[in-house]
Amino acid sequence: MARYVPIAAKESTAAQLLDMTVSEFRAGVASGQLPDGKDIAGEKRWDTRLLEQIVAGDLIDGNEEIVW
């Protein structure tokens, strides 16, 4: 069976995708190093494509601050 990556992930899944514990993930969100989730139908979810772009370094050029 094929595996899939959801386009919007709950907190524990987002943390797992980054190979982090939930508390490490929460600390990254709290410090602004990771974006906060978005409210989708009353539940907080993280955009997995955005998380991929962060890991790849595609969102920064080193000359500006990141604003989530």
Side-chain angles (χ1 to χ4, degrees), residues 1-4 7-8 12-15 23-24 26 36 38-39 45 47-51 54 56 65-66:
M1 175 175 259
R3 292 185 57 169
Y4 70 95
I7 60 172
S12 61
T13 303
S23 31
E24 289 171 333
R26 285 180 184 159
D36 201 359
K38 304 291 182 192
D39 183 297
R45 295 291 186 262
D47 180 341
T48 58
R49 291 172 294 186
L50 178 59
L51 296 176
I54 291 167
E65 290 187 41
I66 301 172

Side-chain angles (χ1 to χ4, degrees), residues 5-55:
V5 175
I7 60 172
K10 62 185 176 182
E11 182 182 55
S12 61
T13 303
Q16 188 177 34
L17 289 169
L18 295 173
D19 195 24
M20 297 176 140
T21 65
V22 171
S23 31
E24 289 171 333
F25 185 81
R26 285 180 184 159
V29 172
S31 70
Q33 295 173 326
L34 294 171
D36 201 359
K38 304 291 182 192
D39 183 297
I40 299 176
E43 300 293 331
K44 192 179 269 197
R45 295 291 186 262
W46 279 261
D47 180 341
T48 58
R49 291 172 294 186
L50 178 59
L51 296 176
E52 285 182 22
Q53 289 176 315
I54 291 167
V55 171

